[in-house]
Amino acid sequence: MICKNIASIKENIKAIALNAGRDPRKITLVAVSKKQPIERLEEAIACGQHIFGENYIQEVQEKKEYTGETADFHFIGNLQSNKAHLAAHYCSMVETVDRLKIAKILNKHLQELGKTLDILIQVNIGLEPQKSGVAENEVTALIQSIQHLPQLRLRGLMTIPPFHDTAEESRPYFARLKEISDQLIRQGILEKAQAALSMGMSSDYHIAIEEGATIVRVGTSIFGERLIQ
Ligand SMILES: *Cc1c(COP(=O)(O)O)cnc(C)c1O
């Protein structure tokens, strides 16, 4: 079932991208495996899936120790300072950097490990008080401070729009993230190589691709219900 789901999502990504005049190869599928047992990841790996998304760092640790080089993990949850060393060690990307403090701590641990780490900046477009992410008007300042941290490779921006009943309601948030990214490029604050846009989940990745997503994070449509409590 997981193989079939991955294949059909990849087909969808391709069709939507081509329809939107985009190159499907520029879109990366992150299989969100949070709260999914390791057997399901193994199944996905066997079907050629390599990148997984997790939002509990202990789960990343357990799963990465099991999969080794056969899987890479993107951290997509709220990273706490006291867990940053695990993210530095086990993740290939942290998509949710939203404050200088956490960036500095990551940088310090990476220095000790002699590693670099790809990161995205999470932007809180909906300005929802309960949601993490940096406010739009603070993105530039955060990027400029992060650029002084040598172990961090800034790759772009990420957002989680407010929860909506219909996918179409996410569109303005996705469009806005793209606008912010384009503007930062025009201002010379971001380089083209730093213009990744992580947006879209099971319910709305089709809209996100139309609006320029280069990373989509799909969980339930691949793995079904989340099992681990
Ligand atoms: C859980 C999660 C997803 C995947 O959501 P689905 O609806 O299962 O596809 C994507 N992004 C983030 C940040 C998540 O926490």
Side-chain angles (χ1 to χ4, degrees), residues 143-171:
I143 289 176
Q144 286 171 336
S145 331
I146 282 176
Q147 279 166 343
H148 298 295
L149 302 172
Q151 314 305 117
L152 299 181
R153 299 266 177 271
L154 180 61
R155 295 301 184 203
L157 308 177
M158 177 269 201
T159 199
I160 308 170
F163 177 79
H164 285 119
D165 291 329
T166 67
E168 199 54 52
E169 288 171 273
S170 298
R171 190 185 296 280

Side-chain angles (χ1 to χ4, degrees), residues 32 34 55 76 158 160 201-203 217-221 226:
V32 177
K34 66 184 183 204
N55 55 3
I76 59 173
M158 177 269 201
I160 308 170
M201 325 204 287
S202 292
S203 58
R217 312 177 306 265
V218 180
T220 329
S221 296
R226 293 186 254 276

Side-chain angles (χ1 to χ4, degrees), residues 119-138:
I119 62 158
L120 302 179
I121 289 178
Q122 181 180 0
V123 187
N124 184 357
I125 306 244
L127 272 184
E128 294 171 282
Q130 77 280 16
K131 204 166 264 177
S132 41
V134 61
E136 280 184 40
N137 59 0
E138 293 164 6

